[in-house]
């Protein structure tokens, strides 16, 4: 390898010829090209060039590198949770495979945040992993995974959510599954939601299913919801009708 000068970084890496070139390129980009881009005149109704450029920067894969590094490093649970959360907020598709691995992390918080991050990203690979988790009978992330699928709002999750809410799932899983089905807006979910309204005695489940039915625009659901009003002291009526 060519070395312009005999220098070594603290990590032991020797200074190679391409490293000064990368630094020079970055300087040119920020000092010359960026000011020229910002001077571009925008057409009527178009966003300001600065705003568009800022949006471009938020998807820059280089921004994700430190957070992805933290996922695979021996760092504290809190730092790992923060890294996962940032990857979700920035919708970093580059991190999907690493986030999928963290669905089996020893820390419950890391697992939960990884599921939500995958839902925020919403790519095909992310949604497929969430569906597999939801269908895993030995997994303990069902409420978080259902909530993540609501964020992703992918039609492919419909069948898995319907199966989950029909099972003897816990309260939070049923509630989150109902909300996800409502967000999907697919009327094929209406029958199972009506079954839950008619057969459940849990106020929170009835309310979530009724709200989902309202989002689906099923006026016929009123006949099932009205008889539940007395038992729920009007909560369903006020929030869903």
């Amino acid at each position: 390898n060519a070395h312009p000068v005999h220098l070594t970084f603290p990590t032991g890496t020797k200074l190679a010829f391409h490293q000064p070139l990368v630094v020079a390129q970055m300087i040119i980009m920020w000092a010359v090209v960026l000011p020229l881009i910002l001077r571009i005149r925008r057409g009527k109704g178009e966003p300001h060039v600065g705003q568009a450029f800022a949006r471009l920067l938020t998807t820059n894969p280089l921004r994700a590198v430190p957070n992805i590094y933290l996922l695979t490093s021996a760092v504290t649970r809190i730092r790992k949770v923060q890294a996962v959360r940032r990857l979700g907020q920035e919708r970093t598709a580059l991190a999907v495979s690493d986030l999928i691995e963290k669905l089996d992390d020893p820390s419950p918080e890391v697992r939960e945040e990884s599921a939500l991050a995958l839902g925020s990203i919403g790519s095909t690979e992310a949604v497929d992993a969430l569906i597999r988790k939801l269908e895993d009978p030995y997994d303990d992330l069902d409420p978080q995974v259902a909530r993540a699928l609501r964020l992703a709002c992918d039609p492919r999750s419909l069948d898995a959510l319907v199966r989950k809410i029909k099972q003897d799932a816990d309260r939070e899983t049923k509630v989150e599954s109902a909300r996800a089905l409502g967000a999907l807006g697919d009327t094929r979910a209406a029958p199972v939601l009506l079954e839950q309204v008619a057969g459940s005695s849990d106020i929170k489940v009835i309310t979530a299913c009724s709200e989902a039915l309202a989002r689906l625009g099923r006026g016929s659901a009123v006949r099932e919801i009205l008889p539940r009003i007395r038992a729920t002291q009007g909560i369903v009526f006020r929030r869903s009708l």
Side-chain angles (χ1 to χ4, degrees), residues 30 102 133 183 216 220:
W30 288 102
K102 292 306 168 186
K133 273 292 175 185
L216 297 181
S220 59

Side-chain angles (χ1 to χ4, degrees), residues 43-92:
K44 185 177 181 180
E46 295 179 350
H48 190 275
V49 177
Q51 294 177 347
F53 194 74
R55 292 174 190 170
L56 178 63
L57 286 178
T58 59
T59 60
N60 188 340
L62 294 178
R63 289 169 57 94
V65 171
N67 293 320
I68 294 175
Y69 173 76
L70 289 174
L71 290 187
T72 58
S73 303
V75 296
T76 64
R77 171 186 53 81
I78 294 176
R79 292 194 66 188
K80 197 168 288 188
V81 167
Q82 291 172 341
V84 171
R85 194 171 293 157
R86 284 193 292 268
L87 289 170
Q89 291 170 346
E90 296 175 1
R91 298 182 178 181
T92 310

